[in-house]
Amino acid sequence: MTTTPPASRARLAGGLLLWYGVLGGALAWAAHLLVAWPLDELTCAAGSERVAAVPLRQAVGLAVVIPALVTVGSLLVAALVWRRTARSQSAGTEDRAYGRSRMLAVVGVWANLLFLAIILLGGVALLVLPPCQR
């Protein structure tokens, strides 16, 4: 059975998806840190409990939920890559690229689980404590 190499477009899309699976959670956590905590602090420092007519708790909730969803998507992509590379290795292909992809997918799964926990626990702290507590 002969296999044809994927087209350059397919390789680019697969490579970008793999990197999203590996780094998506880290970038989502960074966005969460740069938005959620400063949003709470700056709004309270201004003496308000609203952000553009949205209650502060809802705005902070969005700053937690959106990065968490991005991280879950990244986790799913990493798990999909891990499963696909497992199938190719069981089929008998000894390609180093598959081995690297599988290793990156494993790193992505574990890292995304960690970043999801960090985002959710940080969100719990932001949402449980009363806003603008002085």
Side-chain angles (χ1 to χ4, degrees), residues 37-64:
W37 287 102
L39 182 69
D40 184 46
E41 292 295 322
L42 293 175
T43 303
C44 292
S48 175
E49 289 197 15
R50 296 180 97 51
V51 177
V54 175
L56 179 61
R57 192 171 293 276
Q58 289 178 358
V60 169
L62 284 175
V64 171

Side-chain angles (χ1 to χ4, degrees), residues 5-88:
S8 62
R9 246 186 165 163
R11 281 185 299 192
L12 176 63
L16 291 176
L17 274 175
L18 176 62
W19 283 111
Y20 169 62
V22 174
L23 298 175
L27 295 175
W29 175 56
H32 166 72
L33 283 179
L34 293 173
V35 173
W37 287 102
L39 182 69
D40 184 46
E41 292 295 322
L42 293 175
T43 303
C44 292
S48 175
E49 289 197 15
R50 296 180 97 51
V51 177
V54 175
L56 179 61
R57 192 171 293 276
Q58 289 178 358
V60 169
L62 284 175
V64 171
V65 170
I66 292 171
L69 290 175
V70 170
T71 304
V72 168
S74 181
L75 176 63
L76 293 174
V77 167
L80 178 67
V81 170
W82 180 74
R83 287 190 60 192
R84 293 255 170 113
T85 55
R87 273 192 238 139
S88 68

